[in-house]
Amino acid sequence: MSLAVRTRRDTELLLLLAAMPVIALAFALVHGASDRTVAWTDLAVPGGLLGAFLVAHAVARRFARNADPAALPIAALLSGVGLAFLTRLDPALATAQVLWLFAGVAVMAATLVLVPSLETLARYKYTTALAGVVLLLLPAVIGREVNGAKLWLRVGGMSFQPAEVAKILLVLFFAAYLSENREVLSVSTKRALGVWLPPARRLGPLLAMWAVSLVVLVAERDLGSSLLFFGVFLVMIYAATGRPAYVLVGLGLFGAGASAAYAVFTHVQSRIAIWLDPFADAAGRGYQLVQSLFALGAGGMLGTGIGHGFPGRIPFVATDFIFTAIAEEIGLLGGAALILAYFALCARGMATAVRARSDMNALTAAGLVATLGLQTFVIIGGVTRLIPLTGITLPFVSYGGSSMLSNFILLALLMRAGDAPRGEEVPEAGLTGALGRVALALRVRGVTGALSLLFVALIVNLTWVQVFQADALAANPANTRGLAEEMARPRGEVVTTDGKVLARSVKRGDAYEREYPEGAFASHVLGYWDAKYGRAGIEAAMNDALLSERAYSNVGDLIDEAAGVPVPGNDVVLTLDSRVQEAAEAALAGHRGAVVVLDPRTGAVLALASAPDFDPKEAGDILGRRTAVAGSPLTDRATDGLYP
């Protein structure tokens, strides 16, 4: 027995040491991209993480000798990689996250010390349930709305998400309740629509969780948490009873409630509409998801390289969309590896549930893993447009103190659930005999298979977006990510046939800005160039020429390009005659309409005027307004208007 104990903890230590070079490499790449050099001091944070997790390992060696040896190293890998990318995204947030991570490891160690067995917690199941429900619903009453959802409570100068703690408390209650009542809940006495159902009074917990999930969906405007809590409950009740009827009835209830919420509440309709077609309002309510898809497409198979992406274009990238930032810069291979790390953690957790020596341990492990797995699926599926977008955090990786603390508590309880070795009886375990444990283990394996399908769906969808849709996303007119690169190069001028300059590039700082000397003159021909909303008109149609993408003025340009020297763009000469254009615009002054003047000998457009017009420098302000602008100045009536 002593040999087996020593081997499991030694395996944990070896896996921890194997994870640390990966974390150190991630930090080195981040600092190398930003500072162009890597100093030993840049590895101080990875060194601190190693020390913290070695302390956690020492506590596990003393107080959880038989726990799964892979859970802690995988959590260390995920949190270390997440911290490295937070350092790349926002160093100030990364500094705070380091403190939260150390606090999380400390709380995990304290949980292992203070909770000798899960059966001890089962004695207080109704107190746990009450605390969990109160924490879950409290934001609906006094919560603070952030990004459209009421998930936060503010105490003093700090904010936290009570749902992060509530999910653990409710899992403990479900496990305790189901371990006591699973035999009764497994009995079917009535049949409805071809489905055998248990006694009506036994459906109370199912109906109660359905009601709670709908309150979260409606009052807190949080589709993700609502789906997460109800999904975890269904997983646990199936694992306990093996009755598909509970799952079918539960899915029917949730579907009916969600449909009713969709019909009544605009915020639910908005989330679904964004999911179905985010490009319908790419600059408005769909902006966040659209930018996420553009980033994933830009990453492709191998990524843009750490420090070479544009994650700052995505709002809330450090919390809701950190997976997108990671997959953009380390590509499909890195994103899929992160997903597989989560799957490995879930698979090890389910193996803990299968090996558990009591119903309480088995159901707790299954519930905690379902929480972790479903939360990972919901957030990654949302940012990759597999399912509607939600605002929950990615476990161990996203920025957030309450999330970090709760996930390390979850990890400690999962390790505690697997601490009892085979053949060792657990006091007050509520054992159901060998056949009952075999049946429970088989159902847990079925749940593992279902979770596996969810992770496969994530990787398949990520592959679709980053590989097969990459070209279409890059060519989408709403994709302005290439403009950031264009700002480092001078664009050519746009001039009329008689030499009037309509557009030119002016260097300000390290970037070039577009300047329009004539203001609104010939604006519908010229179009606009905006860092957020893209290009239009000649600025779009002749973009390659203006950037010298296809043609070079001379051999010197070719040499400069090979040497990395920015190549000035080519000038574009229009057929417009400024005198004829001025006359056309003067004739339209004060009216709505269009004037087109052609040279009958060649077909050259000498004038193309539309009224009302706009200043190309102000096009971004017009496009950014959520309401219609009087006169629709961006509409080119000469080409798009309907006239006799």
Side-chain angles (χ1 to χ4, degrees), residues 45-317:
V45 172
L49 295 183
L50 175 60
F53 282 105
L54 287 178
V55 171
H57 164 73
V59 173
R61 187 177 285 272
R62 171 66 177 82
F63 292 96
R65 294 174 298 172
N66 300 290
D68 185 271
L72 183 62
I74 296 174
L77 177 65
L78 292 172
S79 55
V81 171
L83 188 56
F85 272 89
L86 275 177
T87 303
R88 184 261 185 272
L89 296 171
D90 191 328
L93 290 183
T95 301
Q97 186 80 338
V98 170
L99 299 178
W100 284 119
L101 202 157
F102 287 159
V105 173
V107 169
M108 170 195 163
T111 303
L112 288 176
V113 173
L114 298 176
V115 180
S117 71
L118 296 180
E119 285 72 24
T120 303
L121 298 179
R123 301 172 189 171
Y124 309 99
K125 58 180 177 294
Y126 292 110
T127 302
T128 302
L130 179 61
V133 172
V134 169
L135 285 175
L136 185 61
L137 301 182
L138 199 57
V141 182
I142 59 173
R144 178 185 173 209
E145 184 172 319
V146 177
N147 200 23
K150 294 180 66 175
L151 304 176
W152 298 84
L153 292 181
R154 191 168 186 85
V155 178
M158 300 184 62
S159 298
F160 72 98
Q161 287 183 281
E164 293 288 347
V165 179
K167 67 185 181 184
I168 298 175
L169 296 177
L170 290 177
V171 165
L172 291 173
F173 164 70
F174 294 152
Y177 179 84
L178 292 172
S179 62
E180 285 186 3
N181 298 278
R182 75 183 188 93
E183 292 183 350
V184 176
L185 290 169
S186 301
V187 177
S188 300
T189 59
K190 296 182 180 180
R191 190 171 184 175
L193 301 176
V195 178
W196 284 99
L197 299 175
R201 66 180 182 277
R202 299 298 179 184
L203 291 174
L206 182 64
L207 295 174
M209 269 311 299
W210 172 65
V212 170
S213 66
L214 287 185
V215 171
V216 173
L217 174 62
V218 173
E220 300 181 10
R221 302 182 180 183
D222 186 13
L223 178 62
S225 293
S226 175
L227 178 62
L228 174 64
F229 287 115
F230 199 66
V232 169
F233 175 72
L234 291 183
V235 166
M236 294 185 70
I237 198 170
Y238 173 76
T241 66
R243 305 299 300 176
Y246 284 111
V247 179
L248 294 176
V249 172
L251 291 176
L253 288 173
F254 188 82
S259 299
Y262 176 81
V264 175
F265 299 102
T266 57
H267 65 272
V268 179
Q269 297 169 6
S270 178
R271 285 294 178 97
I272 299 299
I274 292 171
W275 172 57
L276 293 175
D277 188 7
F279 299 98
D281 189 10
R285 64 183 185 178
Y287 180 78
Q288 196 176 25
L289 181 55
V290 164
Q291 292 302 318
S292 175
L293 295 175
F294 288 158
L296 293 171
M301 180 69 73
L302 300 177
T304 62
I306 294 179
H308 298 287
F310 298 100
R313 288 174 166 262
I314 308 172
F316 301 97
V317 68

Side-chain angles (χ1 to χ4, degrees), residues 421-447:
R422 285 187 176 276
E424 182 176 304
E425 295 299 325
V426 179
E428 305 176 52
L431 297 174
T432 54
L435 293 178
R437 290 196 297 277
V438 170
L440 179 59
L442 290 175
R443 292 194 290 272
V444 169
R445 289 192 178 99
V447 172

